Amino acid sequence: MSGTFVGMPAFPAAARDAVRDTTLRGNLRHATHTIRAKRANAVAELADWAELREAGKRIKDHTLRHLDHYLVRLEESVTAAGGTVHWAADADEANRIVTRLVKETGESEVVKVKSMATQEIGLNEALEEEGIRAYETDLAELIVQLGKDRPSHILVPAIHRNRGEIREIFAREMGEWGRPAPDGLTDTPAELAEAARLHLREKFLRAKVGISGANFMVAETGTLVVVESEGNGRMCLTLPETLISVVGIEKIVPTWQDLEVFLQTLPRSSTAERMNPYTSTWTGTTDGDGPRTFHLVLLDNGRTDTLADEVGRQALRCIRCSACLNVCPVYERAGGHAYGSVYPGPIGAILSPQLRGIGSEIDASLPYASSLCGACYEVCPVAIDIPEVLVHLRERVVEGGQVTRAGNKVVLQPAKGHAAERAAMRAARWAFTRPGVLRAGQRLASRTRRVHPRTLPGPGRAWSGTRDLPPVPAEPFRDWWQRTRNGKGGAR
Amino acid sequence: MSSRERILGRVRRALADVPEDDTPYERAVVRDYLREHGGRTVEQTVDLLAENLADYRAVVHRTDADGLPGLLAGLLAARGASTVLVPPGLDEGWLAAAGVTRVADRAESTPAELDRLDSVVTACAVAVAETGTIVLDGSPDQGRRRITLVPDHHICVVRVPDQVVSSVPQALERLDAARPLTWISGPSATSDIELDRVEGVHGPRTLEVVLVG
């Protein structure tokens, strides 16, 4: 994945700083609560929501179980429709392919539709190194790009910024990139959107190369689908002469008819709308309408490794609606940046460690960035059991075991930081299987209860810093039972 | 080994647990969801389309075939539009009463030229009542995708009830995947600033839909 987040502290450290930022918490709370309530209404309009959710789950599961077949089918149909298909095993390869394709056009700037895949591979940075300027055209991505910031939400990447901060960024930075913000810009959303419209329109009208992702790819017909609101997507998909789409290999659906499920569940789950303002579909190239050249870059970058994990593979069903972020109590307080990944929130906590492996400190900590409350599973339109995968990944972190990295099976060593926990669990298992030892230990604990410390020493200090240690009773339960009930004829 | 072979090889190894006789697509995907939501008469379906379009801030008008030229002329005049972009196959009669300059979308016209035009008038392929959506498929009466994108004012004419369906599944049945499709639900909008909805960022800021029946 992208180098953007290298050097991120583990989730607990990043989250500790984030929760102290009261502006951030205020912005996030307002946003997540607003959309949460709206989503519930939008979903309630469809009496068959449960059936749509089940169908979505099954379509994606079936596709993943036969992904090789559908990838080849997609390649055939895209090629037949006039497109060119490229395969990229990792981020570097994808960046090299896109850079080469842009250079072949002779252009040195591109306009971009918001895309998680290109964020994931750090495409903008890779293009910049080769002297190609990439302009983000989604309003929120523009705010993030101008603010030299990172996205913090899948759907609303600048969710952590309020209108005052956005006004400030526009007034300060727009002039550096093109048309400056108008004088006397206020912080009303309408004025801010107008400033973005004027700033970006000059870029759209001269752009020769557009870069996008896709929400769906239809294997049967070779059709790509982009769902958006602002029209920046339509601009990038229609006006340039060359279109390059970088899409994760898991975004396939088998048939045209399958779109009927996702075009109902995605808008309602993500923006809580019956339908997003614009949906564009394109099948290769069309004579006289839109780009004359179309390239599809199919991206692996850890997806086949994720596919190899029978429990974890369900994360690849994700359609990036971000409903799970908006209901997550941990995300609401910690914010998206704390996850150290372009995929924040509950889905990020299971997707990032699988795509990147759990070798780094931040990735090993992500499966713990959850209270396991299950709200994310309840709202997921493709029924990904996020808590199940979180627990599965925690086991991997603590116990180690076999995983697939870059296509090879490797045995993962247990994480070092958890040695104390494993030792404690081993000791507990030993004691629990020996009644005499357990009884002796409990009696000892009871007799010494007055001298027990209120907080734990050493590595346990952080744990007891926010919790009360349970008081040890004056007498172990077994002794109490013996004393009060023994000899009275059992329980009755 | 090419990356294509490498990725396909990884996929096949990753799926070693999937049996040869895995449930085929037709049985694996159960479609017991609804084809449309609620029972409605044709008239009610058209009313629902109007209601949902308006809910997403499209301006909805209703007329019959005879009233259409007058209505379009009035809408363009009210807007002060003097130049109107017209797709090649638009019904000649629709703009007969409008005192405007019609501009054809030529292959060599640049996006900047389109940007200077006041309005665009098109037909549509299908409209979806439950979601308040019109779909354009690039047919001659709708034109290329860019003509309904660059000008700031789009008037779309929907023939009711023929072009109206209830639901997304019914709309997909009628559409051809090989054509470039644009689904439009209300004018361009953003909710990126504190989730306050603002109409009109990059697409047309005003969408008027005329239901002709």
Side-chain angles (χ1 to χ4, degrees):
Chain A
M1 283 176 105
S2 157
T4 316
F5 297 100
V6 165
M8 271 295 290
F11 182 82
R16 195 179 308 123
D17 293 338
V19 294
R20 289 202 187 106
D21 183 340
T22 50
T23 306
L24 174 75
R25 286 187 63 169
N27 295 352
L28 277 174
R29 190 183 150 76
H30 168 72
T32 55
H33 282 247
T34 302
I35 201 158
R36 204 185 287 184
K38 279 174 65 186
R39 180 201 159 273
N41 290 334
V43 166
E45 277 190 7
L46 299 189
D48 58 341
W49 187 258
E51 288 79 13
L52 284 167
R53 185 178 188 240
E54 181 65 20
K57 173 187 180 212
R58 287 180 181 228
I59 291 168
K60 283 292 213 173
D61 262 352
H62 169 82
T63 314
L64 291 169
R65 289 169 73 82
H66 302 274
L67 193 58
D68 49 342
H69 167 76
Y70 288 114
L71 278 167
V72 172
R73 182 84 200 275
L74 176 76
E75 183 186 40
E76 286 166 3
S77 49
V78 169
T79 308
T84 309
V85 177
H86 310 261
W87 300 70
D90 56 25
D92 285 345
E93 189 175 14
N95 288 332
R96 275 199 309 277
I97 292 169
V98 177
T99 307
R100 174 173 59 77
L101 292 172
V102 176
K103 281 188 169 175
E104 282 171 7
T105 67
E107 294 295 315
S108 59
E109 61 177 40
V110 301
V111 286
K112 283 188 67 204
V113 194
K114 176 180 172 313
S115 136
M116 300 303 297
T118 59
Q119 282 278 356
E120 176 190 319
I121 60 176
L123 178 65
N124 293 4
E125 293 79 3
L127 289 172
E128 193 77 55
E129 276 178 30
E130 297 289 326
I132 298 162
R133 212 159 202 201
Y135 296 112
E136 292 293 346
T137 64
D138 171 76
L139 178 54
E141 290 285 1
L142 176 72
I143 295 165
V144 168
Q145 188 174 43
L146 292 178
K148 300 176 182 67
D149 195 359
R150 289 197 308 261
S152 67
H153 189 280
I154 289 175
L155 182 78
V156 209
I159 200 169
H160 57 291
R161 297 288 198 182
N162 61 32
R163 59 187 72 190
E165 295 173 288
I166 295 166
R167 193 209 75 84
E168 171 67 22
I169 291 168
F170 278 11
R172 196 180 62 225
E173 299 289 339
M174 269 186 174
E176 296 290 309
W177 293 75
R179 182 175 177 142
D183 288 336
L185 179 68
T186 74
D187 66 358
T188 60
E191 267 195 48
L192 295 170
E194 175 69 13
R197 176 186 176 92
L198 295 172
H199 177 80
L200 286 171
R201 188 152 276 231
E202 63 171 25
K203 296 193 167 58
F204 288 132
L205 298 187
R206 69 168 188 242
K208 295 282 186 288
V209 182
I211 295 182
S212 82
N215 293 90
F216 306 101
M217 306 186 282
V218 183
E220 177 188 39
T221 58
T223 308
L224 271 74
V225 183
V226 160
V227 170
E228 51 128 5
S229 294
E230 295 170 10
N232 66 305
R234 293 180 64 195
M235 290 274 181
C236 298
L237 300 169
T238 313
L239 297 185
E241 290 166 7
T242 302
L243 172 62
I244 305 168
S245 301
V246 182
V247 190
I249 54 173
E250 82 283 16
K251 295 254 170 155
I252 299 182
V253 297
T255 69
W256 178 248
Q257 192 190 358
D258 293 327
L259 292 176
E260 71 189 16
V261 174
F262 301 108
L263 289 182
Q264 293 191 79
T265 53
L266 177 57
R268 290 180 199 258
S269 293
S270 58
T271 52
E273 292 169 304
R274 293 185 193 104
M275 188 63 89
N276 46 288
Y278 296 129
T279 298
S280 299
T281 77
W282 68 101
T283 306
T285 54
T286 304
D287 281 344
D289 185 358
R292 285 178 302 205
T293 312
F294 168 57
H295 296 278
L296 171 61
V297 181
L298 293 172
L299 178 71
D300 179 346
N301 203 34
R303 285 162 177 76
T304 50
D305 293 341
T306 308
L307 191 66
D309 187 314
E310 290 173 35
V311 178
R313 91 170 43 134
Q314 59 183 304
L316 297 176
R317 290 206 297 260
C318 177
I319 56 172
R320 313 279 189 264
C321 73
S322 74
C324 63
L325 276 62
N326 300 327
V327 297
C328 178
V330 176
Y331 175 86
E332 183 188 325
R333 287 161 181 82
H337 289 156
Y339 293 79
S341 151
V342 295
Y343 305 107
I347 186 63
I350 62 169
L351 200 52
S352 303
Q354 295 200 89
L355 292 177
R356 302 191 294 203
I358 45 180
S360 76
E361 205 189 336
I362 179 77
D363 286 313
S365 73
L366 284 178
Y368 294 86
S370 166
S371 63
L372 298 181
C373 73
C376 47
Y377 170 62
E378 295 299 320
V379 298
C380 178
V382 285
I384 301 170
D385 193 340
I386 295 176
E388 181 191 17
V389 182
L390 284 167
V391 171
H392 170 71
L393 293 175
R394 287 181 189 188
E395 188 187 327
R396 276 280 169 281
V397 171
V398 175
E399 299 285 335
Q402 196 178 67
V403 294
T404 305
R405 296 308 309 157
N408 299 310
K409 288 200 166 74
V410 293
V411 177
L412 196 71
Q413 293 304 309
K416 287 198 181 65
H418 294 269
E421 187 181 327
R422 273 199 311 283
M425 285 302 172
R426 267 200 302 275
R429 189 158 57 227
W430 182 79
F432 283 133
T433 51
R434 288 165 180 77
V437 171
L438 185 63
R439 194 176 307 124
Q442 286 174 335
R443 283 179 183 156
L444 181 67
S446 288
R447 277 173 206 146
T448 57
R449 61 198 280 263
R450 292 191 197 291
V451 298
H452 288 183
R454 308 286 304 241
T455 55
L456 293 173
R461 189 191 306 277
W463 191 87
S464 60
T466 51
R467 292 171 181 84
D468 293 325
L469 289 174
V472 176
E475 181 182 28
F477 175 79
R478 290 151 162 266
D479 287 5
W480 172 84
W481 184 268
Q482 285 276 339
R483 182 167 58 77
T484 56
R485 296 296 174 102
N486 225 16
K488 289 186 182 175
R492 297 231 170 229
Chain B
M1 187 168 33
S2 72
S3 289
R4 180 183 189 278
E5 298 315 312
R6 186 174 299 128
I7 292 169
L8 286 172
R10 285 179 187 177
V11 170
R12 285 171 188 138
R13 281 199 300 282
L15 296 173
D17 62 300
V18 177
E20 281 284 314
D21 60 347
D22 197 43
T23 318
Y25 171 80
E26 292 71 24
R27 280 195 285 121
V29 179
V30 177
R31 297 189 196 277
D32 54 0
Y33 48 86
L34 302 171
R35 301 307 298 171
E36 64 180 309
H37 296 86
R40 284 179 295 269
T41 63
V42 172
E43 204 169 300
Q44 285 169 328
T45 303
V46 175
D47 287 346
L48 181 66
L49 173 68
E51 192 183 307
N52 283 338
L53 279 164
D55 194 30
Y56 279 5
R57 320 269 169 89
V59 185
V60 182
H61 310 276
R62 301 182 79 154
T63 186
D64 56 22
D66 293 342
L68 182 62
L71 177 64
L72 289 178
L75 295 178
L76 291 167
R79 174 104 184 162
S82 61
T83 48
V84 177
L85 196 53
V86 179
L90 196 78
D91 191 320
E92 290 278 330
W94 288 7
L95 289 176
V100 292
T101 307
R102 299 185 203 183
V103 181
D105 175 35
R106 294 166 301 124
E108 58 276 16
S109 52
T110 65
E113 285 166 23
L114 302 182
D115 193 31
R116 288 192 284 272
L117 302 175
D118 296 322
S119 304
V120 58
V121 177
T122 70
C124 76
V126 64
V128 190
E130 285 179 7
T131 58
T133 305
I134 52 174
V135 188
L136 309 189
D137 71 356
S139 293
D141 58 357
Q142 297 148 53
R144 287 192 269 177
R145 284 171 282 177
R146 62 185 201 169
I147 72 168
T148 53
L149 173 63
V150 181
D152 204 16
H153 178 222
H154 178 198
I155 299 176
C156 181
V157 177
V158 183
R159 296 185 185 86
V160 298
D162 304 356
Q163 291 190 313
V164 184
V165 296
S166 270
S167 66
V168 171
Q170 292 172 352
L172 281 162
E173 275 170 8
R174 285 207 192 183
L175 293 165
D176 178 359
R179 288 179 167 278
L181 304 179
T182 306
W183 300 51
I184 301 174
S185 310
S188 157
T190 183
S191 299
D192 281 345
I193 303 165
E194 298 183 20
L195 295 179
D196 268 2
R197 191 176 164 100
V198 179
E199 268 80 42
V201 195
H202 305 301
R205 282 179 285 194
T206 307
L207 172 66
E208 302 200 61
V209 180
V210 180
L211 306 180
V212 185

